[in-house]
Amino acid sequence: EKNEMNTETLDRLEALLAKANILPLEYKPDEYDDWGTVRAGKIGLHGKRYPLCQTRQPYASDEAKAEHRKSGTDPYEASARLLVEALNALPALLSIARRAADVEAIRAVTAKASSEWTGPNPAEFATGVAFVTKPHFAATAVSRYVMGETT
């Protein structure tokens, strides 16, 4: 089933994120963690970080696993790190999506940027460097707003 990105999806993800209260996550933070272990980064009861999950890749052959045991590497590291990085980035990604969905704010940013644009810098003509156009100036302002660099 296709998961559309819309305000209802953002609402659902934000609610789940708040309810789960598991971030930040860490990949194998403890010395004796098994392959693919992901732990909640917060210290819980008894001063421990509790395992959240353990990733697996069912297509890893027995020979590949034996090689990983021999070399002391984790065959599930990539999937575990992807999970950790994606979930730790989720609050920022949700913020970006909210800003991108805020049509009125983007309209205001565009109007402000358009009113602030003073035209191409004459010095750019002498250097042969392509000058910034008004649409480019406004698009840059919108991008900076969406990415949270400006308000």
Side-chain angles (χ1 to χ4, degrees):
E1 180 180 319
K2 183 179 176 186
N3 188 7
E4 293 185 29
M5 185 53 65
N6 53 40
T7 54
E8 291 82 19
T9 302
L10 296 176
D11 292 342
R12 189 174 64 254
L13 287 170
E14 287 169 343
L16 287 169
L17 191 60
K19 189 173 183 178
N21 191 28
I22 57 172
L23 299 182
L25 299 179
E26 295 180 20
Y27 163 72
K28 288 181 64 170
D30 295 344
E31 182 180 358
Y32 297 107
D33 280 341
D34 199 2
W35 287 345
T37 299
V38 174
R39 290 182 180 268
K42 293 181 179 176
I43 304 298
L45 298 174
H46 313 295
K48 294 183 178 181
R49 292 176 291 208
Y50 291 98
L52 178 69
C53 67
Q54 197 169 18
T55 62
R56 291 282 185 250
Q57 292 173 332
Y59 54 82
S61 69
D62 289 339
E63 294 81 20
K65 290 177 189 176
E67 188 58 39
H68 281 284
R69 281 187 195 91
K70 184 177 176 183
S71 65
T73 58
D74 182 352
Y76 311 130
E77 180 176 0
S79 59
R81 286 192 183 277
L82 175 61
L83 180 69
V84 167
E85 293 293 328
L87 285 174
N88 284 343
L90 187 57
L93 294 172
L94 290 172
S95 175
I96 290 168
R98 283 277 180 211
R99 286 172 171 265
D102 189 344
V103 175
E104 290 305 315
I106 289 177
R107 189 173 288 136
V109 168
T110 302
K112 181 176 185 246
S114 294
S115 71
E116 292 174 350
W117 189 70
T118 58
N121 181 344
E124 292 174 339
F125 291 114
T127 64
V129 175
F131 58 87
V132 174
T133 64
K134 189 173 187 176
H136 181 266
F137 187 78
T140 300
V142 169
S143 176
R144 293 186 67 217
Y145 164 76
V146 168
M147 296 304 292
E149 297 172 15
T150 61
T151 55

